[in-house]
Amino acid sequence: RSSSPPFYADADELEPGIAPPGSSSTCAADMSCPAPMYLQDGEYLGTYSNDATVAPISAGEDNFGLDDYEPKFFHPIPEWSSYGPFSISLKFD
């Protein structure tokens, strides 16, 4: 078994302000890089969008909903059913 870190250990996350590795895209300048969009009970939780089927396309927004979505996973599991379904949309273009 290797003692080296996993291949993804130093990988950038998908965020509106981070251009994909090896890309010549300027998406980081206007916060339009591909990023997951977090939804709860069918409602989008963020303000960033690169997918008009989820929310109007944005520029200069970096809230893709994770900060609203993730903390709920620390709540007691029985509470989760009252939140409705959790889902994620990703348009990587």
Side-chain angles (χ1 to χ4, degrees):
R1 185 162 197 176
S2 171
S3 62
S4 62
F7 70 93
Y8 56 82
D10 294 322
D12 286 330
E13 295 182 11
L14 292 176
E15 294 188 14
I18 300 176
S23 171
S24 61
S25 174
T26 60
C27 64
D30 66 357
M31 300 279 194
S32 64
C33 299
M37 298 171 68
Y38 292 84
L39 299 95
Q40 178 190 332
D41 201 21
E43 297 290 323
Y44 178 47
L45 302 174
T47 53
Y48 151 87
S49 177
N50 75 331
D51 186 347
T53 66
V54 176
I57 302 297
S58 66
E61 297 287 342
D62 66 351
N63 177 2
F64 51 100
L66 181 61
D67 290 340
D68 299 294
Y69 189 97
E70 189 174 42
K72 292 180 176 132
F73 287 97
F74 294 99
H75 295 184
I77 291 175
E79 289 181 20
W80 290 11
S81 63
S82 68
Y83 299 146
F86 292 85
S87 60
I88 300 168
S89 176
L90 175 64
K91 180 179 179 184
F92 198 95
D93 55 356

